[in-house]
Amino acid sequence: MNKVTLFLSGDVMTGRGVDQILPHPSNPRIFESALHDARDYVRLAERQCGPIPRGVNFTYPWGDALVELASRSPDLRIVNLETSITLSEAAEPKGINYRMHPRNVPILQAVGIQCCSLANNHVLDWGEAGLLDTLSGLRDAHIVTAGAGRNLVEARSPARFQVGPHGRILVYSMGTASSGIPQSWAARDEHPGVWLVRDFSERSVAEIAQEVRLEKRPGDVALVSIHWGSNWGYTIPAEHRSLAHALIDEAAIDVVHGHSSHHPLGIEVHGGKLILYGCGDFLNDYEGIVSHRQFRPELSLMYFVTLDAPSGRLAQLELVPVRTRRFRLERPSAEETHWLETLLNREGTELGTHVECCTGGSFRLAWTAE
């Protein structure tokens, strides 16, 4: 392969309110301090944007994103799936619990998702049984996972995709406690869980590098999908930048795919390799939530990453703006597109990147060569 194009997104949260409008809604009971019924998130969104249909087709939430994906035909589609897929009633006592009914897994197939990163702070919301259900449900749907497993070896193993006759895409998934992952969720030798990175130290980098060395062969491209940091705010912690650089410089990682922030963060290119510090949410049920409006979480981006292979160097990054309305992705207005453009340029200044507008309302990343 000479070039490979990946589709990446931020968090895909198909549980709670989104699950309730799909053909097979789960038990709507939730355990939050303010709300106790997942359907309330649908009603809150309806107050903002109007009626939302129930029992929708599995393609409904993806809306205009389906057209964008079809026109670009990426070689691999990767998302961070931030929900448990289970009928378990064993809710973790953590306040917010996401789950999707197993019969609603076709929502992921409808958009052609091939890989789900799972090392995040919601995949065990319904206990270990919920995690095991999630793994089996995705496996049965022929969706490959990374970052969680029945033991530590499985959690640390990459998802592997043959692209072209000679090279593979390796997808590793990991998370940090700073994103809200409890320490008890860490996978162990004989215990299911997620790949929880202990800290941002040189030792952690060495452990990750060892895992990559065991697997990566000449011709392979390696991506780390990492759940880190807080949900709100644009400041990128120094330890995130240090870890991202070290993963590229010392662990042979070619793309750092960061998420957890509910809105897009600045983008960096280090040594010719792409770092997405925070991709924002791609699909969620937050429309009716009035807090944090200054971040405009209804606006998000689709990331189409073209890499030179086998070097893994970034050849092109196209960003396609979308917005959520009535739990459905659609093209944003000119004002919304301009707001995202201004945001990316403001946050990219210190990172040496900016975006240029393209025909059709998408952006293309430009960066300072090192």
Side-chain angles (χ1 to χ4, degrees):
M1 57 181 177
N2 295 317
K3 283 188 169 57
V4 60
T5 297
L6 314 177
F7 165 68
L8 305 177
S9 85
D11 300 339
V12 170
M13 309 175 84
T14 53
R16 209 168 61 180
V18 175
D19 177 68
Q20 293 301 307
I21 71 166
L22 296 176
H24 309 286
S26 303
N27 179 347
R29 187 185 181 199
I30 53 178
F31 304 90
E32 300 173 18
S33 57
L35 298 176
H36 306 290
D37 190 313
R39 293 169 294 190
D40 288 337
Y41 281 94
V42 185
R43 290 187 276 265
L44 286 172
E46 288 179 320
R47 292 180 192 175
Q48 294 290 324
C49 297
I52 298 174
R54 308 301 198 270
V56 299
N57 186 285
F58 289 118
T59 60
Y60 169 87
W62 305 115
D64 291 331
L66 291 171
V67 177
E68 302 294 345
L69 282 161
S71 68
R72 290 165 178 81
S73 299
D75 297 290
L76 184 60
R77 305 180 188 200
I78 305 166
V79 301
N80 175 55
L81 180 64
E82 203 163 1
T83 190
S84 183
I85 303 171
T86 185
L87 296 177
S88 170
E89 294 291 340
E92 287 281 301
K94 58 192 291 286
I96 298 178
N97 304 82
Y98 282 90
R99 66 174 167 183
M100 178 175 73
H101 195 290
R103 293 177 66 190
N104 285 333
V105 168
I107 187 177
L108 302 173
Q109 296 170 306
V111 73
I113 299 304
Q114 295 153 280
C115 180
C116 288
S117 65
L118 297 180
N120 58 60
N121 60 315
H122 286 292
V123 74
L124 275 115
D125 275 359
W126 297 86
E128 291 177 14
L131 171 61
L132 297 176
D133 288 344
T134 302
L135 294 170
S136 63
L138 292 171
R139 183 184 62 243
D140 291 346
H142 305 290
I143 297 172
V144 186
T145 63
R150 292 170 293 182
N151 51 54
L152 183 59
V153 170
E154 285 191 7
R156 289 188 171 187
S157 296
R160 305 169 182 89
F161 298 90
Q162 190 73 37
V163 181
H166 305 298
R168 300 178 300 167
I169 304 296
L170 306 176
V171 180
Y172 295 86
S173 170
M174 60 195 68
T176 71
S178 64
S179 70
I181 301 174
Q183 185 62 45
S184 61
W185 288 14
R188 300 191 291 276
D189 289 343
E190 302 298 332
H191 190 81
V194 303
W195 185 356
L196 184 61
V197 178
R198 182 185 298 107
D199 51 36
F200 297 92
S201 67
E202 293 181 3
R203 181 174 64 172
S204 292
V205 173
E207 288 179 358
I208 296 167
Q210 175 65 16
E211 294 293 334
V212 178
R213 278 195 296 269
L214 289 171
E215 182 70 35
K216 192 177 184 185
R217 305 192 299 244
D220 290 346
V221 170
L223 176 147
V224 158
S225 189
I226 184 166
H227 205 62
W228 56 3
S230 61
N231 294 150
W232 306 105
Y234 294 110
T235 301
I236 297 170
E239 59 264 29
H240 288 197
R241 290 194 71 184
S242 295
L243 178 61
H245 291 182
L247 290 174
I248 291 168
D249 295 338
E250 301 171 34
I253 293 299
D254 301 299
V255 179
V256 177
H257 171 220
H259 35 77
S260 180
S261 61
H262 289 322
H263 50 82
L265 299 181
I267 301 169
E268 185 175 14
V269 179
H270 174 74
K273 306 297 179 72
L274 177 65
I275 304 172
L276 302 172
Y277 285 104
C279 292
D281 289 342
F282 190 45
L283 187 66
N284 63 33
D285 63 355
Y286 291 178
E287 267 181 87
I289 300 174
V290 296
S291 60
H292 302 291
R293 284 296 186 190
Q294 71 270 31
F295 295 105
R296 304 190 72 168
E298 74 278 7
L299 303 180
S300 59
L301 295 161
M302 303 174 71
Y303 299 79
F304 292 93
V305 182
T306 301
L307 306 174
D308 285 321
S311 73
R313 294 177 67 88
L314 180 64
Q316 177 181 290
L317 173 60
E318 186 180 8
L319 304 118
V320 178
V322 290
R323 69 149 294 150
T324 301
R325 180 181 282 113
R326 299 169 67 223
F327 287 6
R328 190 170 189 266
L329 296 173
E330 60 182 39
R331 293 180 177 86
S333 68
E335 181 276 329
E336 291 166 333
T337 300
H338 179 69
W339 190 91
L340 281 168
E341 177 190 7
T342 301
L343 166 71
L344 291 169
N345 285 330
R346 184 190 75 208
E347 298 305 317
T349 298
E350 289 188 14
L351 303 172
T353 62
H354 67 277
V355 297
E356 301 169 345
C357 289
C358 303
T359 303
S362 65
F363 310 130
R364 188 161 294 164
L365 188 75
W367 62 93
T368 304
E370 299 179 32

